[in-house]
Amino acid sequence: MRDSISTGAAGILAPAAEASSDAEDLARLGYRQELRRDLGSLSAFAAGFSYVSILTTVFQLFVIGYAFGGTRFFWTWPVVFLGQLAVALNLAEVGSHYPVAGSVYQWGRRVSAGAPGWLSGWLKLVGDVVSVAAAAIALQAILPSVWGGFQLLGGDPSLTSRDGAANAVLLGAGLVVLTTAINMAGVRAMAWVNDVGVMAELGGVVLLVGALFLHAVRGPEVVLSPVYGPPSSLGTGAAGLLAAALMPAYVLYGFDSAGSLAEETQNPRRIIPRAILKAVVASGVGGALLILAALMAAPSLTDGRLATDGLAYVVVSALGPTLGKVFLVDVALAVCVCTLAIQTGASRLAFSMARDGALPCAPALSRVSSRTKTPVAPAIAVGALACGMLVVNYGEAQLFVLITETAVLLVNLSYLLVTAGMLVRRLRGWPGRAGGAAAAGVFSLGRAGLALNVAAVAWGVALIANIAWPRRDGESAWMEYFPVIGVASTIAVGLAMYAAMQKRGREQVALPERRTSAAQIDVAT
């Protein structure tokens, strides 16, 4: 880690004394202030909310829930929300104790020694890179419905068709290039775009939910009376509902990304926990209302279109082509901001790991631009890798879906590594005065901490088991087990990489200036 304190100018949005205090606090955690502290509470909230982006993900994944659970899939949303809220509460607490760029990596390595701590960051990084591509590809589900001219290749916009898959790669790659450029421009530009986008998304959710309620053709009791579309191979019992729960599980993650911007946020010990929790609560409430409104306003619950065309069909059918397309434009904006937020979080995570020597090409990835005070190389690397992932969709759209499922597993597994490490430390008396840091302003779960920590770990195990559970639905055996194979392969590659860095670190142990490395990842006590 770097130990000296930067004496550069303070962020323009905070008094000099507060900026100095934040820099001193960061120094106590082992780093000097290199990034620009320009972000306030709105931008921190926007980072977490944009990653979840209910307009992006609910529109993209509504078909999964309805295909497996029918109208009853609504009830999987509050269950998953409460489970993820328990996780978020624990991440908010550890994030307040360790307000350092890199979120899950920094939290994991400080509550778990050695490989488990490093692995939490590695799994999250791989999951984030794939999630950038998955978010960008959602443009194909929106833009051709707004205007046929966005279908630049061929005539069939369906994501499962060859034309649609190819066009999705083109639109997605263009979006990733744009978000990479915004990230390279600096945190001010990123925050401005993100803030505007989040306000537009929040306003769009409120207006869309209100408009769908006004055009409802049935009452809210629709979620109490089981109605199904085309029959699922999993049936209509518990197996179908467990499969339907994959939809909210795919939506409600990524709220930790506010923590990745901790070194660019004013008073992060106070703001970051609130941003994480606000992002989860806003997404949970907004998503539940959106799903309920869609089920009430859908022209038909049994014609099969809810399980194939999803929310875009409901919006255009219920509100008409003109107003419906206005809302779809807002959804497209949400997709763009979502992609930007995920890429930003991933680039800060890569920067944080590289700064500790915990990634290959660490010197380049840990370099901060003297002009923008932003790590440029990680943004370019994440963007390039995401574009590479997009190409997979061109050849096999179903394979891209399976890779996305694997990414969701990786991110939630990284959360589990952190909450499990916290539980072990908590049983030994954590948090106390962690790391000798000033206790003032630190968010604490108090006496409820142990119970909420146990709940978060139990929920994480159950969620991961449900996502990874093989479900044969007309797929080949290798596709059925692909997410499990993907996670196992990512862990194996990560452990091999960690072992290699351990060996290199031992060889360089004589260098006195190398206070902390991947081979010497410490655990704050």
Side-chain angles (χ1 to χ4, degrees):
M1 296 179 189
R2 300 170 180 178
D3 300 313
S4 59
I5 303 175
S6 174
T7 57
I12 63 172
L13 299 183
E18 181 177 305
S20 176
S21 176
D22 287 339
E24 291 170 359
D25 193 18
L26 181 62
R28 282 192 290 269
L29 292 168
Y31 299 96
R32 63 188 176 94
Q33 186 71 55
E34 293 182 280
L35 307 180
R36 178 176 284 132
R37 281 193 190 272
D38 276 349
L39 306 185
S41 56
L42 173 60
S43 297
F45 161 74
F49 183 80
S50 297
Y51 192 123
V52 178
S53 187
I54 53 177
L55 277 187
T56 299
T57 48
V58 173
F59 264 81
Q60 193 176 14
L61 301 168
F62 183 93
V63 295
I64 294 176
Y66 196 82
F68 288 118
T71 56
R72 290 198 305 168
F73 102 89
F74 169 84
W75 295 106
T76 65
W77 183 274
V79 172
V80 173
F81 165 65
L82 290 175
Q84 294 295 73
L85 180 59
V87 175
L89 283 165
N90 282 273
L91 297 186
E93 183 177 38
V94 72
S96 185
H97 280 90
Y98 309 114
V100 183
S103 64
V104 171
Y105 160 69
Q106 288 289 344
W107 307 336
R109 80 173 188 84
R110 292 173 188 271
V111 297
S112 299
W118 180 87
L119 201 58
S120 63
W122 167 250
L123 297 178
K124 181 65 162 56
L125 181 59
V126 176
D128 278 354
V129 170
V130 179
S131 294
V132 171
I137 216 167
L139 279 182
Q140 180 63 25
I142 307 298
L143 290 183
S145 298
V146 175
W147 178 50
F150 285 114
Q151 185 61 37
L152 302 172
L153 302 176
D156 187 352
S158 172
L159 272 169
T160 57
S161 69
R162 184 173 181 82
D163 289 346
N167 201 65
V169 173
L170 185 62
L171 293 178
L175 175 56
V176 172
V177 169
L178 175 62
T179 57
T180 301
I182 293 173
N183 264 303
M184 293 172 63
V187 71
R188 291 177 181 174
M190 182 282 299
W192 184 87
V193 173
N194 214 16
D195 292 352
V196 172
V198 164
M199 292 301 100
E201 180 170 3
L202 284 171
V205 169
V206 172
L207 293 175
L208 179 57
V209 168
L212 290 177
F213 277 143
L214 289 175
H215 290 80
V217 296
R218 61 189 64 85
E221 66 276 4
V222 63
V223 300
L224 300 175
S225 303
V227 178
Y228 297 90
S232 165
S233 62
L234 298 176
T236 59
L241 276 180
L242 286 173
L246 299 177
M247 180 268 186
Y250 294 161
V251 174
L252 293 171
Y253 77 98
F255 39 79
D256 67 285
S257 59
S260 281
L261 300 175
E263 292 180 33
E264 295 157 277
T265 303
Q266 308 289 341
N267 195 4
R269 289 189 185 272
R270 179 180 62 86
I271 288 178
I272 294 303
R274 295 181 181 183
I276 291 173
L277 297 178
K278 286 178 181 178
V280 175
V281 172
S283 300
V285 173
L289 291 174
L290 183 57
I291 294 170
L292 177 61
L295 293 174
M296 291 170 59
S300 172
L301 299 175
T302 57
D303 65 358
R305 296 197 62 180
L306 281 179
T308 56
D309 300 332
L311 277 185
Y313 151 69
V314 177
V315 171
V316 174
S317 299
L319 306 182
T322 301
L323 184 57
K325 288 182 179 180
V326 170
F327 279 112
L328 290 182
V329 170
D330 191 50
V331 175
L333 176 60
V335 171
C336 296
V337 175
C338 175
T339 305
L340 174 63
I342 300 173
Q343 185 179 15
T344 301
S347 65
R348 298 308 187 268
L349 175 56
F351 162 75
S352 184
M353 296 183 72
R355 181 173 57 180
D356 284 357
L359 282 180
C361 305
L365 292 174
S366 61
R367 189 174 299 120
V368 176
S369 167
S370 59
R371 182 177 64 86
T372 64
K373 300 298 181 182
T374 300
V376 173
I380 296 174
V382 171
L385 291 171
C387 286
M389 292 299 308
L390 284 169
V391 176
V392 174
N393 189 78
Y394 181 84
E396 180 57 73
Q398 183 59 34
L399 179 58
F400 186 83
V401 172
L402 293 173
I403 292 174
T404 303
E405 292 178 9
T406 304
V408 178
L409 271 175
L410 293 172
V411 173
N412 281 285
L413 184 56
S414 73
Y415 292 166
L416 179 59
L417 286 172
V418 175
T419 56
M422 289 178 67
L423 181 57
V424 173
R425 292 288 303 282
R426 202 184 293 275
L427 292 172
R428 297 174 180 173
W430 188 87
R433 292 175 62 84
V442 175
F443 173 80
S444 174
L445 297 177
R447 295 181 178 179
L450 180 59
L452 287 170
N453 205 158
V454 171
V457 171
W459 168 253
V461 171
L463 180 66
I464 290 168
N466 187 40
I467 296 175
W469 194 265
R471 294 175 173 90
R472 187 174 295 280
D473 191 20
E475 300 175 348
S476 62
W478 79 269
M479 295 178 74
E480 182 182 358
Y481 290 95
F482 184 92
V484 176
I485 296 171
V487 170
S489 300
T490 304
I491 292 175
V493 170
L495 290 176
M497 186 185 302
Y498 178 77
M501 289 185 295
Q502 283 267 51
K503 180 179 179 181
R504 186 175 69 244
R506 285 193 294 270
E507 293 172 351
Q508 298 176 347
V509 73
L511 296 177
E513 68 275 13
R514 194 175 182 83
R515 294 284 301 275
T516 305
S517 70
Q520 297 172 294
I521 290 178
D522 66 315
V523 179
T525 57

